Amino acid sequence: MGALNDTIGGFTVGEDFAIPDTWTQGRTAYGGLTAALAVAAAQASADDELPPLRSAQFAFTAPAAEAISMHPHSLRRGRSATSFAVEGISGGQVAATASLIFSGTRESAVAHSVLAAPEVAAPHECPASRRDNALTPAFFTNFDVRVAGGAAPISRAEYPELLCWVRHLDATGVDPDVAVIALGDALPPAAMAAFADWAPVSTMSWTVNICADKPVDPNGWFLLRSVSVVAHSGYSAQQMTMWDAGGAPVLIGTQTVAVFG
């Protein structure tokens, strides 16, 4: 298995899903894939088609090694919002949990956005991210990544920001919400830009808010910005924003990252 469309096609709710070597980071599955499988599990288990994903909280509680099974539980289906909880089991223990809210649009007089996209060159004008580094995780090869600004990992940056255009190599036929979640964690933790030497990192939790009302193009380009806003005592708190190619905000999120160096 390689690209997301082939990978998701082999997933069945409640059954062990063999994690492809091409979707790993160290000894565990890529967090974005684990989160995307949780969303796919909730969608597949629903009695009726769910509205779009609006909000999600993911906790990565143990390594998801070799295989993981997703177990969704419907919490409530209201008139406009439906809530699910999902547990991911790997090696006999809970490796991940997800709290998901699916909700459609409603009439409102309030409409604004202060998430202006940074002014950067178009994806084809930006250099491709290096893939020949021995420290590059396996999952990274499933994305086309172009550096649009910010700093580089392990560059002792005073302002730890990563800014890249990112797209799936192939997400044809994949649900847009699943594709966005699988893409949203593609960049390394932003704290790594401040590193002087390589050190292990591990994402502990990820909170996501989806801003797009219309389904996005699963194969489209997205500008992903990640900034480590506070780091001390072995932890980094980072903010993440994703815009589509037209500059409309698609996702905002935060992560807590454990830093072992």
Side-chain angles (χ1 to χ4, degrees), residues 179-202:
V180 164
I181 293 299
L183 194 71
D185 194 27
L187 300 185
M192 293 188 71
F195 287 10
D197 298 294
W198 184 86
V201 292
S202 179

Side-chain angles (χ1 to χ4, degrees), residues 87-100:
E87 276 191 344
I89 307 297
S90 180
Q93 61 182 340
V94 177
T97 63
S99 176
L100 310 173

